[in-house]
């Protein structure tokens, strides 16, 4: 046994060659109908000793990463179709932007808009979202106007105005020239006395009674009550003014 030749010895062929490694093809086609593709990952790696991707493989020998697939023509296929997002509703701070969302039916490569109810079984893409272009900095905020202090003959109403920062804390950096009014006049029309339903003209020619200034007599004030009352109210307002 001491003279038995060795049947195993070490050897060194140098650095192991790099090779293309690829995964299995994906199970799904990229399209639910018509032409699509299946994919797989392809990387260049050193055989056995190195697990890091390399870049010294011959690209001409690189296996395909995509394989065509065709699940048949698209017929009566329903899907949501979205347009592009519109402009943000606010130039600064938080705003909203919207887009069109319609239900379409795909038939032999052609799209046709149909009732949204037909796509109700599919998740509907959002038609609006929040947007933010830039910070607004300090700006004026205000409440709604209060009720008018009077219903006629001139009153006023008020509201609260504040200068706030983006985090809604009080600020003193707003432009005073742009500060909204916090008080304004309202209901400036003249107060009219309540209408007495029993006061009415009993004759069609009461306008002549007024023109002849006969309303000073109690008889005409009764028979032409409405016309004479209007004259009395008008004269009273003139005296007040």
């Amino acid at each position: 046994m001491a003279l038995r030749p060795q049947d195993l010895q070490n050897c060194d062929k140098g650095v192991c060659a790099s090779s293309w490694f690829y995964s299995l093809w994906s199970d799904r086609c990229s399209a639910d109908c018509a032409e699509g593709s299946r994919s797989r990952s392809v990387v260049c790696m050193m055989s056995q000793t190195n697990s890091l991707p390399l870049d010294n493989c011959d690209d001409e020998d690189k296996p395909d990463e995509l394989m065509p697939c065709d699940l048949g023509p698209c017929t009566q296929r329903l899907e949501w179709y979205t347009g592009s997002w519109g402009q943000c509703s606010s130039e600064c701070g938080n705003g909203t932007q919207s887009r069109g969302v319609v239900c379409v039916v795909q038939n032999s490569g052609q799209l046709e808009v149909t009732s949204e109810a037909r796509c109700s079984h599919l998740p509907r893409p959002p038609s609006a979202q929040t947007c933010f272009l830039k910070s607004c900095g300090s700006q004026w905020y205000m409440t709604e106007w209060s009720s008018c202090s009077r219903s006629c003959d001139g009153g006023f109403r008020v509201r609260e105005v504040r200068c706030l920062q983006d985090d809604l804390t009080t600020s003193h950096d707003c432009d005073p020239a742009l500060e909204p009014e916090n008080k304004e006049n309202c209901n400036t029309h003249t107060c009219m006395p309540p209408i007495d339903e029993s006061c009415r003209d009993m004759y069609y020619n009461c306008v002549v009674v007024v023109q002849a200034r006969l309303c000073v007599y109690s008889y005409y004030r009764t028979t032409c009550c409405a016309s004479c009352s209007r004259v009395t109210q008008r004269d009273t307002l003139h005296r007040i003014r």
Side-chain angles (χ1 to χ4, degrees), residues 19 36 42 64 80 111 113 157 162 170 172 202 221 232:
S19 302
V42 179
D64 292 333
W80 290 107
L111 296 178
V113 178
R157 58 183 185 175
R162 292 185 183 181
T170 302
H172 301 287
M202 301 174 64
R221 286 200 301 270
T232 302

Side-chain angles (χ1 to χ4, degrees), residues 88-95 131-137 139 166:
C88 191
S89 62
S90 179
E91 296 180 356
C92 64
N94 292 324
C131 51
F132 183 89
L133 298 180
K134 62 179 181 179
S135 174
C136 291
Q139 58 179 336
D166 286 328

Side-chain angles (χ1 to χ4, degrees), residues 199-210 214-215 217-232:
C199 179
R200 60 185 63 188
D201 291 343
M202 301 174 64
Y203 299 105
Y204 69 91
N205 60 347
C206 284
V207 63
V208 177
V209 172
V210 172
L214 298 177
C215 289
Y217 300 103
S218 60
Y219 170 78
Y220 292 108
R221 286 200 301 270
T222 301
T223 56
C224 295
C225 180
S227 297
C228 288
S229 294
R230 284 194 292 269
V231 173
T232 302

Side-chain angles (χ1 to χ4, degrees), residues 90-143:
S90 179
E91 296 180 356
C92 64
N94 292 324
T96 58
Q97 56 185 167
S98 59
R99 65 179 177 181
V101 179
V102 295
C103 177
V104 297
V105 57
Q106 186 177 154
N107 193 4
S108 300
Q110 300 294 320
L111 296 178
E112 181 180 349
V113 178
T114 185
S115 170
E116 291 193 0
R118 298 185 62 185
C119 289
S120 59
H121 64 288
L122 301 172
R124 191 182 193 276
S127 57
Q129 68 177 9
T130 58
C131 51
F132 183 89
L133 298 180
K134 62 179 181 179
S135 174
C136 291
S138 298
Q139 58 179 336
W140 292 108
Y141 286 78
M142 69 215 74
T143 63

Side-chain angles (χ1 to χ4, degrees), residues 190 192-193 209-216 221 227-241:
T190 302
M192 298 299 294
V209 172
V210 172
Q211 292 174 350
R213 299 186 178 184
L214 298 177
C215 289
V216 294
R221 286 200 301 270
S227 297
C228 288
S229 294
R230 284 194 292 269
V231 173
T232 302
Q233 293 168 9
R234 183 186 61 195
D235 293 343
T236 301
L237 290 176
H238 285 319
R239 285 197 299 272
I240 294 175
R241 293 175 180 174

